[in-house]
């Protein structure tokens, strides 16, 4: 990659823009040779390390150390998540108006400050204020990050680069989680506060790197929507029915993440004879295979027709995984572990396919002049899917066993196969990105 001085499309000076040739993830040592992806990888690694540290003990801090009621904490976190979903689209519009780099940096910095405020919480009111601010800002930043990557990563290698960043995230979360487990074992206020402070820094520190990411040539040359553009153009994403259909179908497939994090641990403990450590085994299998497969899979499905096929296959594979998980309930411990592991492998294949397909469609079907709002809508859909997932998995698979797994499988398969007609509907509009 080479960099040359350039001005932004809005006429303001900015960091040099970037160009890239060859594979986006070609490595020099452990880091990609592309300097933009290298910097994005660094800030992603730091942030995921902090999140991994905090993830195992976040709820326990508020219940065991602060002394809040468990149910009240859960309700507060759900409400904060709803705020984050609602904030995604306005945050995306702000990215279109003032630039994704600036808005992403502000959101990450704000998340860091709000997270640091956790150490000052001594009441439920204080908890609500801090968690709504931290969770709301963090979830609102998801769509803005999508717009950020649309601006700084070359379009030809964007999906592959996002796959690499996802691999970095998995590694960082895994390493951070291992150290978080140490703090959890210590179970002291000092240990919890240290983890919270490190997690806060993992947002605030990388926020300083975001404004320095250079724009890709297409972002420099693209004319953004003017501030006084008609509202119908500025907010097109919220009334773009084909794009909303794709967003909803993708949100259904996103429920699979909750399946791994919530559904399987409950299923293993309550409905199978497999040992409890099987849940940890399946998480390790998931992390390792995602790290190995996500980048090569993303390379193969970075065009719209390929992405449609990926989503269809993902839905069918998820249905197959649900069927295997259901069978594990009637097996002895050894065979139950083997069945669950086989289901987890099939599940990972579905996961990497849907991730690659979702990135491709989320960018290709958007208005390139308003990536902020479009990625805000797409990100809000993903957040909504992850929020609805625990309840959906509980009322289907956990409550009704094999019949519940069958219902989930049908839902996943239908969502994946319906993606083709939805994308063809969107492709009728000639102003979209690549749809051939």
């Amino acid at each position: 990659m080479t960099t040359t001085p350039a001005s932004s499309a809005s006429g303001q000076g900015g960091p040099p823009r970037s160009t890239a040739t060859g594979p986006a993830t070609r490595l020099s040592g452990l880091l990609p040779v592309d300097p933009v992806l290298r910097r994005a990888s660094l800030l992603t690694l730091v942030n995921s390390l902090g999140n991994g540290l905090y993830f195992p003990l976040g709820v326990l801090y508020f219940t065991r150390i602060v002394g809040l009621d468990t149910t009240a904490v859960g309700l507060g976190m759900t409400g904060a998540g709803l705020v984050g979903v609602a904030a995604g689209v306005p945050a995306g519009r702000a990215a279109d108006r003032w630039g994704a780099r600036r808005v992403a940096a502000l959101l990450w910095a704000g998340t860091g400050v709000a997270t640091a405020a956790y150490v000052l919480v001594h009441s439920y009111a204080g908890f609500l204020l801090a968690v709504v601010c931290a969770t709301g800002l963090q979830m609102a930043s998801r769509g803005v990050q999508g717009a950020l990557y649309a601006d700084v990563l070359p379009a030809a290698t964007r999906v592959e680069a996002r796959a690499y960043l996802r691999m970095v995230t998995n590694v960082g979360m895994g390493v951070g989680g291992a150290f978080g487990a140490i703090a959890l074992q210590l179970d002291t206020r000092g240990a919890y506060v240290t983890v919270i402070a490190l997690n806060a820094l993992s947002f605030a520190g990388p926020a300083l790197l975001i404004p320095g990411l250079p724009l890709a040539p297409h972002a420099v040359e693209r004319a953004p929507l003017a501030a006084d553009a008609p509202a119908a153009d500025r907010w097109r994403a919220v009334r773009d029915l084909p794009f909303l259909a794709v967003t909803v179908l993708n949100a259904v497939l996103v429920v699979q993440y909750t399946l791994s994090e919530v559904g399987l641990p409950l299923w293993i403990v309550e409905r199978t004879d497999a040992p409890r450590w099987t849940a940890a085994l399946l998480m390790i299998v998931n992390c390792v295979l995602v790290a190995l497969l996500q980048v090569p899979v993303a390379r193969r499905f970075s065009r719209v027709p390929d992405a449609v096929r990926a989503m269809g296959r993902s839905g069918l594979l998820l249905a197959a995984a649900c069927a295997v998980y259901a069978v594990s309930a009637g097996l002895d411990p050894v065979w139950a572990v083997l069945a669950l592991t086989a289901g987890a492998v099939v599940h990972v294949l579905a996961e990497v396919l849907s991730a690659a397909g979702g990135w491709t469609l989320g960018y290709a079907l958007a208005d390139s002049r308003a990536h902020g709002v479009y990625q805000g809508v797409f990100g809000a859909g993903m957040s909504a899917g992850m929020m609805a997932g625990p309840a959906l998995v509980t009322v289907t698979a956990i409550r009704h066993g094999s019949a519940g797994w069958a219902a989930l499988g049908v839902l996943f398969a239908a969502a994946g196969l319906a993606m083709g007609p939805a994308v063809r509907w969107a492709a009728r509009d000639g102003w979209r990105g690549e749809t051939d």
Side-chain angles (χ1 to χ4, degrees), residues 150-419:
D151 283 349
V152 303
L153 297 173
T157 57
R158 185 188 296 144
V159 172
E160 180 187 337
R162 290 208 63 174
Y164 181 81
L165 293 176
R166 184 167 188 248
M167 181 190 70
V168 171
T169 298
N170 272 31
V171 172
M173 288 286 290
V175 174
F179 285 98
I182 296 175
L184 194 61
Q185 184 65 30
L186 293 174
D187 198 30
T188 64
R189 179 177 179 84
Y192 284 95
V193 167
T194 299
V195 166
I196 290 171
L198 290 173
N199 190 33
L201 288 174
S202 79
F203 284 100
L208 299 175
L209 297 175
I210 293 176
L213 291 171
L215 292 174
H218 67 270
V220 176
E221 296 162 2
R222 181 178 66 228
L225 288 172
D228 58 353
D233 290 335
R234 288 184 277 119
W235 296 95
R236 174 184 277 175
V238 300
R239 59 184 182 83
D240 184 344
L241 294 182
F243 188 83
L244 292 175
V246 171
T247 297
V248 170
L249 294 173
N250 184 67
V252 172
L253 293 176
V254 162
V255 171
Q256 66 177 290
Y257 298 118
T258 302
L259 195 62
S260 295
E261 297 169 5
V262 178
L264 282 177
L266 289 175
W267 175 257
I268 290 167
V269 171
E270 297 183 10
R271 293 291 198 122
T272 78
D273 292 325
R276 295 190 178 190
W277 52 257
T278 307
L281 171 65
L282 299 188
M283 289 299 294
I284 293 171
V285 169
N286 180 279
C287 290
V288 171
L289 290 181
V290 168
L292 292 174
L293 297 176
Q294 189 66 81
V295 172
V297 167
R299 285 198 191 111
R300 294 185 56 193
F301 297 96
S302 60
R303 294 180 64 84
V304 170
D306 300 323
V308 170
R309 285 193 292 273
M311 298 301 254
R313 293 173 187 174
S314 176
L316 294 174
L317 286 170
L318 284 171
C322 288
V324 176
Y325 291 147
V327 169
S328 66
L331 303 176
D332 63 41
V334 174
W335 284 105
V337 171
L338 293 175
L340 289 164
T341 303
V345 172
V346 176
H347 190 164
V348 168
L349 296 176
E351 181 179 332
V352 295
L353 283 168
S354 66
W359 293 324
T360 298
L361 297 178
Y363 287 124
L365 303 181
D367 183 342
S368 62
R369 302 171 301 162
H371 262 305
V373 174
Y374 270 86
Q375 300 312 315
V377 168
F378 204 70
M382 294 182 66
S383 297
M386 285 187 281
M387 284 191 61
L392 180 61
V393 172
T394 300
V395 301
T396 54
I398 306 305
R399 181 171 298 178
H400 298 289
S402 296
W405 281 115
L408 276 179
V410 170
L411 180 65
F412 287 135
L417 294 175
M419 195 66 78

Side-chain angles (χ1 to χ4, degrees), residues 39-64:
R39 187 178 297 185
S41 300
L42 177 61
L43 65 89
T44 298
L45 178 62
V46 172
N47 184 238
S48 58
L49 282 169
N51 289 339
L53 272 170
Y54 178 75
F55 183 76
L57 47 79
V59 174
L60 294 177
Y61 168 73
F62 292 113
T63 56
R64 292 180 58 80

